[in-house]
Short mmCIF file of all heavy atoms in Angstrom, two decimals:
data_model
loop_
_atom_site.label_atom_id
_atom_site.label_comp_id
_atom_site.label_asym_id
_atom_site.label_seq_id
_atom_site.Cartn_x
_atom_site.Cartn_y
_atom_site.Cartn_z
N LEU A 101 9.54 11.42 17.08
CA LEU A 101 10.85 11.19 17.80
C LEU A 101 10.65 10.02 18.79
O LEU A 101 11.65 9.37 19.09
CB LEU A 101 11.24 12.43 18.47
CG LEU A 101 11.55 13.66 17.58
CD1 LEU A 101 11.78 14.94 18.46
CD2 LEU A 101 12.74 13.38 16.73
N LEU A 102 9.44 9.81 19.40
CA LEU A 102 9.33 9.00 20.50
C LEU A 102 8.48 7.75 20.32
O LEU A 102 8.69 6.76 21.12
CB LEU A 102 8.71 9.77 21.71
CG LEU A 102 9.51 11.04 22.17
CD1 LEU A 102 8.76 11.81 23.24
CD2 LEU A 102 10.88 10.63 22.73
N ALA A 103 7.58 7.73 19.41
CA ALA A 103 6.64 6.63 19.31
C ALA A 103 7.17 5.28 19.03
O ALA A 103 6.84 4.31 19.58
CB ALA A 103 5.52 6.92 18.23
N ASP A 104 8.30 5.24 18.23
CA ASP A 104 8.98 3.96 18.02
C ASP A 104 9.58 3.44 19.28
O ASP A 104 9.73 2.20 19.44
CB ASP A 104 10.08 4.13 16.95
CG ASP A 104 9.54 3.88 15.51
OD1 ASP A 104 8.46 3.21 15.42
OD2 ASP A 104 10.09 4.40 14.58
N LYS A 105 10.02 4.28 20.19
CA LYS A 105 10.60 3.83 21.44
C LYS A 105 9.55 3.44 22.41
O LYS A 105 9.72 2.49 23.23
CB LYS A 105 11.45 4.92 22.03
CG LYS A 105 12.68 5.33 21.21
CD LYS A 105 13.44 6.56 21.88
CE LYS A 105 14.61 6.89 20.93
NZ LYS A 105 15.33 8.10 21.48
N LEU A 106 8.40 4.15 22.47
CA LEU A 106 7.38 3.94 23.40
C LEU A 106 6.41 2.81 23.04
O LEU A 106 5.87 2.06 24.02
CB LEU A 106 6.57 5.20 23.63
CG LEU A 106 7.23 6.42 24.19
CD1 LEU A 106 6.41 7.59 24.19
CD2 LEU A 106 7.75 6.15 25.60
N GLY A 107 6.17 2.51 21.79
CA GLY A 107 5.20 1.58 21.45
C GLY A 107 3.81 2.26 21.30
O GLY A 107 3.64 3.35 21.74
N CYS A 108 2.92 1.52 20.67
CA CYS A 108 1.58 2.07 20.45
C CYS A 108 0.77 2.40 21.77
O CYS A 108 0.22 3.49 21.86
CB CYS A 108 0.79 1.14 19.55
SG CYS A 108 1.45 0.94 17.98
N LYS A 109 0.68 1.48 22.64
CA LYS A 109 -0.12 1.65 23.81
C LYS A 109 0.33 2.76 24.67
O LYS A 109 -0.48 3.64 25.13
CB LYS A 109 -0.14 0.36 24.65
CG LYS A 109 -1.08 -0.71 24.02
CD LYS A 109 -1.15 -1.96 24.96
CE LYS A 109 -1.71 -1.60 26.35
NZ LYS A 109 -1.79 -2.84 27.21
N ARG A 110 1.63 2.79 25.01
CA ARG A 110 2.13 3.94 25.81
C ARG A 110 1.98 5.28 25.19
O ARG A 110 1.74 6.29 25.79
CB ARG A 110 3.58 3.69 26.22
CG ARG A 110 3.72 2.68 27.42
CD ARG A 110 5.01 2.87 28.08
NE ARG A 110 6.16 2.50 27.24
CZ ARG A 110 7.38 2.75 27.57
NH1 ARG A 110 7.72 3.37 28.63
NH2 ARG A 110 8.43 2.42 26.69
N SER A 111 2.17 5.30 23.83
CA SER A 111 1.99 6.58 23.09
C SER A 111 0.62 7.08 23.22
O SER A 111 0.46 8.26 23.45
CB SER A 111 2.43 6.39 21.64
OG SER A 111 3.80 6.07 21.46
N ILE A 112 -0.38 6.15 22.97
CA ILE A 112 -1.77 6.61 23.03
C ILE A 112 -2.08 7.05 24.49
O ILE A 112 -2.86 8.02 24.76
CB ILE A 112 -2.70 5.47 22.57
CG1 ILE A 112 -2.42 5.21 21.11
CG2 ILE A 112 -4.11 5.86 22.84
CD1 ILE A 112 -3.11 3.95 20.62
N ALA A 113 -1.53 6.32 25.50
CA ALA A 113 -1.79 6.69 26.85
C ALA A 113 -1.28 8.08 27.21
O ALA A 113 -1.91 8.97 27.82
CB ALA A 113 -1.21 5.68 27.83
N TYR A 114 0.00 8.41 26.85
CA TYR A 114 0.52 9.67 27.03
C TYR A 114 -0.19 10.79 26.37
O TYR A 114 -0.42 11.87 26.83
CB TYR A 114 2.00 9.68 26.60
CG TYR A 114 2.96 8.87 27.43
CD1 TYR A 114 4.27 8.50 26.99
CD2 TYR A 114 2.57 8.53 28.73
CE1 TYR A 114 5.09 7.73 27.79
CE2 TYR A 114 3.46 7.72 29.61
CZ TYR A 114 4.71 7.36 29.06
OH TYR A 114 5.53 6.61 29.87
N GLY A 115 -0.60 10.50 25.07
CA GLY A 115 -1.37 11.53 24.33
C GLY A 115 -2.72 11.81 25.00
O GLY A 115 -3.08 12.97 25.10
N SER A 116 -3.38 10.72 25.40
CA SER A 116 -4.70 10.90 26.06
C SER A 116 -4.60 11.72 27.41
O SER A 116 -5.40 12.53 27.73
CB SER A 116 -5.40 9.54 26.26
OG SER A 116 -5.57 8.96 25.04
#
Side-chain angles (χ1 to χ4, degrees):
L101 298 172
L102 300 174
D104 270 338
K105 297 178 181 178
L106 296 174
C108 295
K109 282 183 61 176
R110 280 202 295 170
S111 294
I112 294 171
Y114 289 161
S116 298

